[in-house]
Amino acid sequence: MSVAALLLGITLAVAAVRVRLPGRRLWWVALCLPLAVPSFVAAFAWTATWPTVDGFWPLVIVLTLCTAPYVTLPAMAALSTLDDGLVDVARTLGRSRARVFLTIVLPHVLPAAAAGALLVALYTLSDFGAPAILRFETLTTGIYAQFSSGFDRTLAATTALLLAVVAMFCVAGERVVRPRPARIRTAVTSRPPTELGRARTALTLCGLGAVTAAAVAFPLVALGIRMLSSDRYSSAPTDLVGALVTTLGVSALAATVAVLLALPVSVLAARFRGPVVAGLESVSYLGHALPGVVVALALVTLSLQFFPGAYQSILVLLVAYAVLFLPKTVGASRTAVAQVPPELEEVSRSLGRGPVRTWIRVTLPAALPGILAGWVLVATAVAKELPATLMLRPIGFETLATELWSKTSLGAYGAAAPVGLLLIVAGIAPALLLARGLERRRGSDGPTRADALAGTVRREA
């Protein structure tokens, strides 16, 4: 899956950034939209349309389409910083386009794309809903089956440990084989995208359109058609509204908890160096390498062993979300805090402000957009999370993801369709925000945020 997503993601990124296309900004948005489609919803759309579709290859296609943005977006960001002067020099020396791509463009993009491929591998290892709906046995489906049967949870724990080891092996392997960033100057010379001619431009548009249609339009249309069919298991509107409110509420609460836990780590990582800070930051990233079903099983065991009253409570569920999704907000907050020049904080301190007041009046306002972006990422991930929610939720606690799971388990595809549509719609806004941020990063030529902040500090002084 990672190899397929890597190839597809780099191809899409090159087409979107390096080729002159009509409606180019719309294609940038379109390439972010698959992030709004949970893999289990996409798998459900396939099954609802073709009930006999199942097995390995449909799962590969679904997961590749859903996870390709993990490679496409960092590759697009890397391409945006490529020095076109080096490309021009190589072309004047007689190198072909293919050789220029292999020797200059690809080495520049590969580190970012490889990091995205690691995310794809971890997502694939931890995914539970898509393999279950497409009836393909994986470690996650096996763990959930052993847990649900309740006969031998030792076997489930052993399998979960094996899955965690495989995930850790992927993280360690990526660090070993990760290509070093090419020593290329960034954005020294930038030239307009390449003209390909009508035929090849049309072919590129067809390719981009086909991927977008398969990843986003097909699930929407399939679920819309399926929703029109009557079903005896259809949810009452009050149940749907209740699941939506529960999803939004627990997503907002979990995202807030994750941001509050991440802020101290992010500030330390942005402002200080050393083995202790590096170790603390590395520990906060462990959630990336732990599948949800493993974290859930560990929390079930710990809560039953030491805090029986907390089992199947919202507290344990929030702990699971915090462990799983803390890395999403640590990375965003650390980057945002690091972009605030320390000199501004020193100026504020020299004016008599204490460290807390300086952080609230100077650092926080400047870093707030990045912190909020991390909050949105966590809230979106929690809204789509399935295995940990299924295993840890309190009795009667239904989110949109669990509601869709219960309907598909009954074979009530018509009843599950509106739930899937709600999940996709809920994920579109964060995807659009991500596309807007990517566009701003490419087109940011105006005054920097540091300049604006410096002006603010000077005015207040």
Side-chain angles (χ1 to χ4, degrees), residues 98-456:
R99 195 175 171 199
V100 168
F101 178 80
L102 291 175
T103 56
I104 295 178
V105 179
L106 193 58
H108 186 80
V109 172
L110 211 48
L118 172 64
L119 293 180
V120 173
L122 295 176
Y123 185 96
T124 304
L125 278 175
S126 63
D127 196 20
F128 164 74
I133 290 174
L134 290 171
R135 296 180 285 278
F136 184 77
E137 290 292 330
T138 63
L139 288 175
T140 53
T141 58
I143 293 169
Y144 183 73
Q146 292 156 8
F147 173 81
S148 303
S149 65
F151 293 118
D152 188 1
R153 291 190 175 176
T154 304
L155 182 59
T158 306
T159 312
L161 184 61
L162 174 63
L163 183 58
V165 170
V166 173
M168 294 290 187
F169 179 77
C170 285
V171 175
E174 191 271 344
R175 286 181 181 273
V176 172
V177 303
R178 179 191 300 169
R180 293 183 179 180
R183 293 180 178 275
I184 292 178
R185 296 168 298 167
T186 56
V188 175
T189 303
S190 179
R191 60 177 167 77
T194 306
E195 291 273 6
L196 288 183
R198 288 186 179 180
R200 286 194 290 178
T201 300
L203 189 62
T204 305
L205 288 175
C206 287
L208 290 173
V211 172
T212 305
V216 181
F218 171 71
L220 284 172
V221 173
L223 293 178
I225 294 173
R226 194 73 197 191
M227 192 172 62
L228 298 178
S229 61
S230 60
D231 199 300
R232 57 179 176 149
Y233 293 108
S234 295
S235 301
T238 53
D239 293 337
L240 279 179
V241 172
L244 178 62
V245 170
T246 302
T247 302
L248 295 177
V250 76
S251 300
L253 185 58
T256 304
V257 170
V259 167
L260 292 177
L261 291 175
L263 272 180
V265 181
S266 305
V267 173
L268 286 174
R271 291 288 185 249
F272 301 97
R273 303 284 182 187
V276 176
V277 174
L280 189 62
E281 188 182 9
S282 298
V283 168
S284 71
Y285 275 94
L286 280 180
H288 255 324
L290 294 176
V293 69
V294 174
V295 173
L297 192 58
L299 288 174
V300 167
T301 304
L302 287 175
S303 59
L304 288 176
Q305 185 73 27
F306 299 106
F307 310 101
Y311 178 59
Q312 288 190 320
S313 68
I314 191 69
L315 178 62
V316 176
L317 191 59
L318 288 175
V319 171
Y321 290 149
V323 172
L324 288 171
F325 303 123
L326 192 65
K328 293 183 184 298
T329 185
V330 167
S333 301
R334 183 201 58 204
T335 305
V337 173
Q339 288 178 342
V340 181
E343 293 79 8
L344 293 179
E345 297 175 350
E346 292 170 3
V347 170
S348 177
R349 294 292 302 277
S350 68
L351 293 174
R353 288 177 180 161
V356 175
R357 197 176 169 204
T358 293
W359 199 87
I360 293 174
R361 296 296 301 273
V362 176
T363 310
L364 181 60
L368 196 57
I371 295 172
L372 288 178
W375 188 93
V376 171
L377 287 176
V378 175
T380 307
V382 171
K384 298 188 292 185
E385 208 287 330
L386 182 59
T389 310
L390 280 175
M391 295 169 70
L392 297 172
R393 61 179 168 160
I395 296 174
F397 183 91
E398 294 290 348
T399 64
L400 289 175
T402 60
E403 186 77 9
L404 185 140
W405 173 256
S406 63
K407 299 300 181 190
T408 53
S409 299
L410 295 171
Y413 295 156
V419 184
L421 282 175
L422 278 176
L423 273 169
I424 294 176
V425 170
I428 285 179
L432 292 178
L433 286 174
L434 189 60
R436 190 179 174 190
L438 200 63
E439 237 181 312
R440 279 184 175 179
R441 178 175 176 173
R442 178 169 174 77
S444 58
D445 296 323
T448 63
R449 184 178 300 159
D451 296 334
L453 269 175
T456 302

